[in-house]
Amino acid sequence: MKTVSETDAHDPSADDAVLFRVEGRTGVVVLNRPRALNALTHPMVLRIAEALDAWADDPAVAQVLIRGSGERGLCAGGDIRAIHDDAKAGTTASTGFWRDEYRLNARIARYPKPYVALMDGIVMGGGVGVSSHGSVRVVTERSRVAMPETGIGFVPDVGGTWLLARAPGRLGTHLALTGTAVGAADALLCGLADHFVPAERLPELTAALAQAPAHEVLPRYAATPAPGVLAGRRSWIDHCYAADTVEEIVERLLGQGEPEAKEAAGTILAKSPTALKATLAAVCRAAALETLEQALAQEFRVSCNALTSPDLVEGIRAQVVDKDRAPRWSPPTLAEVTEADVERFFAPLGEDRDLRLP
């Protein structure tokens, strides 16, 4: 079996964007685009999948570790500027990226060996996809975990709707609509992570994992994080986000009398109205699905159909391209988004285009 090394390149342009090595009996994946917050590209996804396939059958590799380079985070998501250019041009390169990315997410969730994700710093969007589906997920006091897609006119993907739909109460709906980033304690509460390790101990943890299995190593480094904020807000979150529509959720939030609830309402109202309604529908539907693969297949439809939504191009323009932070959503209000507008996101792509996962 071929061993994947730092010099193996699936695509020459991806040579140094993701690195692979074996330390002891641990296969290590390093996302290596620190200036771009280790954002994922299509070649990176393909190379990670290739490495995981090789290591799955390699008796010399007992577990896998993924981490990010630099001090800012594991991964800030996918390359949304490329998605913007694709959607603006009316082309479909993004569909190929998502197809392979979602397959990778499913592969991680079913990986036959321990898959350890160091979720230090920023972990958003696609970063959640390559970490929170793993079997051992470690956060630190620097972790900021989020699915912020509604802010760019998009809908949570990479299995995010599956994860958020299974958070306690309505916490997942709150995070999906607001795009709020959570710290270590709240990531643990929401089921997005398993262990807290102080950031200063990550080098020791990484070295120890090269010598012993994760289940033996982690108890020596795991600690209790500082308290989060979501547990104390469960009463109004569970009540407000149990509403059937985004409009009613906002109305309940504004009527709570809690400053944090009013702030959440304001945050929601700044997002794409169309993406908000599609996101609420996606999370609700994911809650009724039986497998992650089914959720990923649903997300693939939603993502591909979003390519023709004006809000995706506009949202990325406002946040990433022009950075004026002043998106002009179309339609501009929740009341103008129809049920047909939402259903369009879930329309089948056709037998030859829909995502098929075992």
Side-chain angles (χ1 to χ4, degrees):
M1 174 59 61
K2 174 178 177 288
T3 300
V4 181
S5 72
E6 292 186 9
T7 58
D8 288 326
H10 185 100
D11 183 311
S13 65
D15 273 1
D16 59 356
V18 56
L19 308 176
F20 307 94
R21 57 179 173 266
V22 176
E23 298 178 354
R25 298 197 65 204
T26 299
V28 179
V29 180
V30 182
L31 305 182
N32 191 41
R33 299 182 69 209
R35 291 185 179 180
L37 276 170
N38 300 319
L40 293 170
T41 64
H42 198 170
M44 290 170 69
V45 166
L46 293 172
R47 295 194 68 216
I48 294 169
E50 180 183 30
L52 293 183
D53 286 346
W55 286 336
D57 297 324
D58 188 344
V61 175
Q63 60 191 1
V64 170
L65 171 72
I66 186 168
R67 63 178 180 84
S69 64
E71 298 295 324
R72 298 170 65 193
L74 171 66
C75 175
D79 188 346
I80 59 174
R81 187 182 287 267
I83 294 171
H84 167 273
D85 294 345
D86 188 32
K88 190 173 181 179
T91 49
T92 58
S94 297
T95 63
F97 169 62
W98 288 324
R99 186 181 299 276
D100 289 323
E101 184 182 25
Y102 300 174
R103 284 173 173 165
L104 175 61
N105 301 146
R107 178 67 163 136
I108 290 168
R110 307 295 183 201
Y111 203 62
K113 298 177 180 179
Y115 181 99
V116 184
L118 300 188
M119 301 170 67
D120 185 35
I122 293 174
V123 185
M124 297 184 178
V128 172
V130 297
S131 60
S132 286
H133 297 302
S135 54
V136 183
R137 307 162 301 172
V138 178
V139 285
T140 75
E141 72 278 6
R142 303 187 300 203
S143 295
R144 303 299 294 165
V145 185
M147 295 299 296
E149 285 76 9
T150 54
I152 58 167
F154 199 45
V155 177
D157 65 336
V158 298
T161 60
W162 171 265
L163 293 166
L164 294 175
R166 282 152 183 80
R170 302 290 176 163
L171 293 179
T173 306
H174 169 65
L175 297 183
L177 295 182
T178 62
T180 299
V182 297
D186 288 332
L188 295 170
L189 172 64
C190 292
L192 300 174
D194 309 299
H195 307 278
F196 169 79
V197 174
E200 65 180 9
R201 303 206 69 187
L202 289 183
E204 299 173 55
L205 172 63
T206 302
L209 286 169
Q211 306 301 322
H215 72 272
E216 294 180 8
V217 169
L218 273 165
R220 303 203 302 266
Y221 297 92
T224 301
V229 300
L230 292 180
R233 300 175 183 176
R234 278 288 303 277
S235 59
W236 61 262
I237 286 177
D238 288 352
H239 167 69
C240 294
Y241 290 92
D244 292 331
T245 66
V246 179
E247 291 95 327
E248 188 178 351
I249 288 172
V250 171
E251 184 178 350
R252 290 187 184 187
L253 288 169
L254 292 173
Q256 276 297 300
E258 298 279 353
E260 295 84 1
K262 184 177 181 180
E263 181 182 350
T267 298
I268 290 172
L269 290 173
K271 311 296 185 184
S272 159
T274 303
L276 287 168
K277 288 197 172 184
T279 293
L280 181 60
V283 172
C284 290
R285 296 182 190 203
L289 298 176
E290 296 182 354
T291 67
L292 169 64
E293 287 79 5
Q294 291 174 340
L296 288 165
Q298 174 177 275
E299 290 174 356
F300 185 71
R301 287 182 177 179
V302 172
S303 297
C304 291
N305 287 322
L307 274 179
T308 59
S309 168
D311 279 3
L312 179 59
V313 172
E314 175 61 12
I316 299 176
R317 179 208 64 77
Q319 295 296 327
V320 178
V321 180
D322 296 336
K323 299 182 180 179
D324 59 24
R325 307 292 192 267
R328 296 178 290 275
W329 304 123
S330 178
T333 68
L334 289 166
E336 294 173 270
V337 181
T338 68
E339 185 174 337
D341 293 333
V342 175
E343 284 302 316
R344 184 184 70 79
F345 284 84
F346 299 89
L349 304 173
E351 282 296 320
D352 59 335
R353 292 185 59 212
D354 271 319
L355 179 63
R356 303 295 178 188
L357 294 168

